[in-house]
Amino acid sequence: MSSPVTVLVPHTVGAEILSGVDGLDPVVYDPEKPLPDEAAHARVLVAPFLAGSDAVGIIEQVPNLELVQLLTAGAETWIGRLPEGVGLSDGRGAHGGATAEWVVSVLLAVYRHLDRFVRAQDRGEWDYHQTEELAGKKILIVGAGDVGQKTRARLEPFEVETALVGRTARDGVHGWDELPALLPHYDATVLIVPLTDETRGMVDAGFLAAMPDGSLLVNGARGPVVDTDALVAELTSGRIRAAVDVTDPEPLPAGHVLWSAPGLLLTPHVGGSVPLAMRRAYGVAAEQLAAFAAGDAPPNLVTGAY
């Protein structure tokens, strides 16, 4: 009988969940301290949640590493930085529901002017006026994966018209090459795409110019998907509005122009930060590592990750 696979885990709750998977021996580590002795024979590293680029250096302490398991769908920090032969599995499917809920929340907040009312409350002012509404809007969702699908499902009860856009066209999904023709016809464009060489800066001045006057850009993807200067220019002109959970740079430094940009609702990357986030993430990780322990490829294995 083969020995269990030693898995380095950054959370106690993760070790608890993974200990129930046959063939795994989870060992808790602290990302801020030297790894425990078990790192010498560990084959799997579960990366810290929302790890920055500095976290990649952890792998130097794991000489027999075969797989890095992520707790988020975003893999941009790790792609291209792993030794040849070390696989990368992402956390796709863990945070889709929570992120989709954030999208619906900011759409409602913007269209019902909740940010304006909160500011009026701070001033002690009764700012009665008619607002817009989400019902009847046309929403374009760029990204047809788990989050995109869940976003569309959560928007359906609000009597909106939605369309999905993916890398390639398929039944019920438009292809990215159709974006220039689609953008002018939607009240809001929601970004739910991974950060890749293809998506970095995809929302540039031309993309934004194609959106109609008064429309809304919602970024629940990654900050660098949007050209910050181009977005600031459009917001400053007052032609469009935006709601973003991610920025470039991130965290947003004090004094940055986005803090005071007109027509912007800004949240600090909290789309997936809910009480059950870790348990959901480790539920996905358990499925991936169960396959690995059985000698199979994890279902969420990222191609071209070296």
Side-chain angles (χ1 to χ4, degrees):
M1 184 175 180
S2 59
S3 301
V5 175
T6 298
V7 182
L8 299 176
V9 186
H11 305 96
T12 302
V13 65
E16 172 193 323
I17 292 170
L18 295 181
S19 65
V21 178
D22 289 341
L24 298 184
D25 178 22
V27 176
V28 177
Y29 73 94
D30 184 340
E32 303 299 323
K33 298 179 180 179
L35 296 183
D37 293 343
E38 290 88 345
H41 57 267
R43 295 168 57 196
V44 177
L45 172 75
V46 177
F49 184 65
L50 292 179
S53 58
D54 292 347
V56 179
I58 296 174
I59 64 177
E60 297 175 2
Q61 303 177 55
V62 193
N64 293 302
L65 185 65
E66 297 178 27
L67 178 71
V68 172
Q69 174 63 49
L70 304 183
L71 299 173
T72 65
E76 64 275 3
T77 295
W78 299 83
I79 292 176
R81 302 185 65 187
L82 295 177
E84 186 172 356
V86 176
L88 179 67
S89 176
D90 66 32
R92 187 173 64 254
H95 310 293
T99 302
E101 185 176 274
W102 175 87
V103 171
V104 175
S105 297
V106 296
L107 286 169
L108 287 168
V110 170
Y111 287 132
R112 298 313 303 264
H113 300 185
L114 298 187
D115 53 343
R116 175 172 166 176
F117 289 132
V118 168
R119 293 186 177 102
Q121 179 183 357
D122 289 341
R123 297 191 303 268
E125 177 184 329
W126 189 262
D127 183 22
Y128 176 83
H129 66 272
Q130 186 179 73
T131 73
E132 304 161 82
E133 61 181 330
L134 181 54
K137 293 292 191 294
K138 298 178 65 176
I139 312 294
L140 186 65
I141 303 169
V142 184
D146 175 66
V147 182
Q149 296 285 352
K150 288 178 177 174
T151 297
R152 180 169 66 175
R154 281 158 176 74
L155 284 171
E156 285 178 355
F158 289 92
E159 301 174 12
V160 300
E161 178 184 332
T162 60
L164 281 173
V165 180
R167 289 186 63 189
T168 56
R170 52 191 183 276
D171 187 28
V173 178
H174 296 277
W176 282 10
D177 59 331
E178 300 177 67
L179 268 173
L182 291 169
L183 287 168
H185 303 290
Y186 286 84
D187 300 296
T189 296
V190 177
L191 307 173
I192 304 292
V193 294
L195 179 60
T196 65
D197 289 341
E198 191 174 10
T199 63
R200 186 180 297 272
M202 70 178 288
V203 181
D204 55 13
F207 185 109
L208 295 171
M211 295 174 60
D213 291 355
S215 59
L216 173 66
L217 179 74
V218 178
N219 189 3
R222 288 292 187 269
V225 170
V226 177
D227 182 316
T228 299
D229 291 340
L231 176 61
V232 169
E234 288 283 9
L235 292 173
T236 302
S237 76
R239 198 184 68 80
I240 68 170
R241 295 171 289 181
V244 304
D245 190 42
V246 289
T247 59
D248 182 24
E250 187 178 309
L252 199 62
H256 194 280
V257 65
L258 280 177
W259 285 119
S260 56
L264 177 66
L265 176 59
L266 171 65
T267 60
H269 206 152
V270 295
S273 297
V274 295
L276 293 179
M278 281 299 98
R279 287 198 170 272
R280 290 176 181 142
Y282 277 105
V284 172
E287 296 173 359
Q288 309 310 306
L289 300 187
F292 179 83
D296 300 322
N300 285 5
L301 194 66
V302 178
T303 58
Y306 302 149

